[in-house]
């Protein structure tokens, strides 16, 4: 992406230029707010060929969607800068955002949309094929792998749920229990849907001609599979918020960590808003963009209120100086 120059101060600094951040910046730029998006250029779905399930853009390459978003933000006067934020100091009205290359800028409000990191189970071959034939989400890539031989790598309680969702897309689904215990309840539910179960640890994937060919068990057996489904641990990218007193918390379902916020994205720290995967681990592109747009609108309203309060306070102060109080006026009359 081409990068604009980073200025010194803005109404709003958006940290992270994925769907959430760009849609937030779009709302702010269209509200005539000075806004910059600082983006590290590593959106979560970068390995995927297309964005699926997004009305009007189904199948568009992720990079193309973001390039369009950046152009839209710029067309209203917003800036998009390449860079990585490492620390933040200050408070609402004047946050200083520090980049790891020494640059910095000041923003009255912050919109943090840095997403999450998918931490893969420690099995050889998963990272190599991640986002292509090692996948996690039936709505992102399920249609694309329909009717194929699918292996579910169980690492937690969500495995049988994932298996049933993928069974909707293929008759050939097998759960590999790996490090997870399947309850009798889950086994029965998988059995009635003709989902196979292979007990035992998976030690690696067989990769044949740059594709998944099978799943290798500890005893050396290879079970042929075209696609492997994993559950990642989803960790909010939020380390740089620590100095503001904002830290991610563990998700109650044990699936990762997130930064809590109210429905408009406002966090526990005044002036700091979040949107997208950093606060909603299940948000797909459409939901992340919608949350970013809502937060952008909320920030604009917040600034409008603050600016209006300031003008009212100034007007009251001016009136207090120019109009004598009743007591002072009476004292003046008495003196004559
Ligand atoms: C393999 C895969 C395929 C997927 N396919 C689909 C799909 O088909 N359809 C769908 O709807 N969803 C899909 N998703 C989900 C989709 O990726 C997310 O919904 C979406 O990326 C969330 O958007 P976001 O703006 O919250 O975060 P992201 O898109 O991850 O954007 C965050 C941005 O912040 C930047 N950033 C992070 N830290 C910093 C920092 N310190 N300083 C500056 N910038 C920073 C990153 O570089 C990144 O550009 C898929 C996910 C995966 C893993």
């Amino acid at each position: 992406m081409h990068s604009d120059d980073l200025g010194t101060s803005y109404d709003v600094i958006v940290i992270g230029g994925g769907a959430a951040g760009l849609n937030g910046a779009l709302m702010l730029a269209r509200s005539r707010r000075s806004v910059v998006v600082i983006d590290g250029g590593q959106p979560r779905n970068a390995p995927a060929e297309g964005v699926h399930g997004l009305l009007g853009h189904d199948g568009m390459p992720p990079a193309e969607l973001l390039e369009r978003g950046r152009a839209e933000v710029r067309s209203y006067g917003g800036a998009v800068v390449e860079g990585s934020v490492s620390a933040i100091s200050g408070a609402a009205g004047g946050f200083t955002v520090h980049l790891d290359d020494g640059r910095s800028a000041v923003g009255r409000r912050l919109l943090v949309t840095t997403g999450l990191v998918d931490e893969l189970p420690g099995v050889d071959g998963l990272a190599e094929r991640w986002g292509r034939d090692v996948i996690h989400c039936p709505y992102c890539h399920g249609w694309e792998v329909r009717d194929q031989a699918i292996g579910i790598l169980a690492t937690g309680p969500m495995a049988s749920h994932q298996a049933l969702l993928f069974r909707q897309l293929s008759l050939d689904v097998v759960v590999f229990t790996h490090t997870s215990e399947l309850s009798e309840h889950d086994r029965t539910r998988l059995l009635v849907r003709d989902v196979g179960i292979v007990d035992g640890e998976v030690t690696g994937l067989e990769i044949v001609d740059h594709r998944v060919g099978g799943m290798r068990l500890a005893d050396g057996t290879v079970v042929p599979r075209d696609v492997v489904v994993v559950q990642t641990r989803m960790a909010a990218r939020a380390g740089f918020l620590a100095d503001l007193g904002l830290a991610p918390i563990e998700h109650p379902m044990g699936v990762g960590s997130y930064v809590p916020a109210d429905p408009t994205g406002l966090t526990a720290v005044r002036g700091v808003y979040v949107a997208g995967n950093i606060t909603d681990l299940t948000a797909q592109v459409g939901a992340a963009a919608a949350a970013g747009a809502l937060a952008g609108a909320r920030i604009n309203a917040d600034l409008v209120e603050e600016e209006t309060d300031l003008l009212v306070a100034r007007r009251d102060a001016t009136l207090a100086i120019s109009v004598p109080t009743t007591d002072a006026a009476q004292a003046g009359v008495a003196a004559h």
Side-chain angles (χ1 to χ4, degrees):
M1 75 171 182
H2 100 264
S3 190
D4 300 328
D5 292 332
L6 182 63
T8 51
S9 73
Y10 296 90
D11 287 330
V12 186
I13 298 181
V14 179
I15 306 171
L22 290 171
N23 218 148
L26 184 60
M27 295 296 266
L28 288 157
R30 283 176 49 79
S31 304
R32 311 186 93 174
R33 292 291 172 192
S34 60
V35 59
V36 62
V37 180
I38 302 173
D39 182 42
Q42 291 176 323
R44 183 181 174 208
N45 56 350
E49 274 181 14
V51 178
H52 291 289
L54 184 64
L55 193 67
H57 297 293
D58 186 68
M60 180 179 281
E64 187 182 334
L65 184 71
L66 297 183
E67 192 47 55
R68 283 196 190 189
R70 289 191 285 269
E72 286 169 357
V73 169
R74 287 181 172 124
S75 74
Y76 294 101
V80 185
V81 170
E82 218 172 322
S84 178
V85 171
S86 52
I88 301 172
S89 53
F95 291 106
T96 303
V97 172
H98 305 270
L99 279 67
D100 62 4
D101 58 10
R103 289 179 294 167
S104 65
V106 176
R108 296 167 63 196
R109 297 288 185 276
L110 299 180
L111 174 55
V112 183
T113 53
T114 42
L116 61 81
V117 174
D118 286 288
E119 295 168 358
L120 291 166
V123 171
D124 282 354
L126 291 181
E128 199 181 326
R129 300 301 309 159
W130 170 237
R132 284 162 296 176
D133 38 17
V134 172
I135 60 177
H136 70 305
C137 160
Y139 305 106
C140 305
H141 341 246
W143 173 265
E144 284 62 42
V145 303
R146 68 194 182 283
D147 297 330
Q148 296 188 29
I150 298 174
I152 312 285
L153 183 73
T155 50
M158 295 302 285
S160 71
H161 175 65
Q162 264 182 324
L164 293 176
L165 294 181
F166 276 93
R167 174 63 183 74
Q168 175 68 15
L169 298 151
S170 172
L171 294 175
D172 185 358
V173 177
V174 174
V175 173
F176 293 77
T177 58
H178 188 52
T179 57
S180 180
E181 293 273 321
L182 276 186
S183 66
E184 278 313 309
H185 173 80
D186 284 341
R187 283 177 185 268
T188 304
R189 293 174 70 74
L190 295 173
L191 189 75
V192 298
R193 299 302 306 264
D194 293 325
V195 173
I197 298 173
V198 171
D199 289 303
E201 194 185 343
V202 174
T203 54
L205 303 189
E206 287 286 300
I207 309 287
V208 183
D209 291 337
H210 306 291
R211 283 209 56 86
V212 168
M215 295 169 78
R216 197 182 330 111
L217 299 168
D219 67 3
T221 315
V222 174
V223 181
R225 296 287 91 187
D226 304 318
V227 174
V228 177
V229 173
V230 295
Q231 191 191 334
T232 64
R233 192 190 121 76
M234 298 176 282
R237 287 196 272 212
F240 57 89
L241 294 173
D243 291 343
L244 295 177
L246 263 185
I249 61 170
E250 283 303 302
H251 194 279
M253 289 175 73
V255 292
S257 62
Y258 70 104
V259 176
D262 80 3
T264 67
L266 181 61
T267 65
V269 175
R270 194 171 106 70
V272 181
Y273 295 75
V274 287
N277 275 166
I278 186 173
T279 184
D280 179 358
L281 302 181
T282 62
Q284 291 196 267
V285 170
L294 180 64
R298 183 66 188 83
I299 293 172
N300 179 51
D302 180 10
L303 289 172
V304 166
E305 289 301 317
E306 180 180 271
E307 288 152 3
T308 308
D309 288 347
L310 197 67
L311 288 174
V312 169
R314 270 196 205 147
R315 193 198 62 157
D316 290 350
T318 311
L319 286 177
I321 292 166
S322 60
V323 179
T325 64
T326 312
D327 286 353
Q330 280 172 355
V333 171
H336 283 284

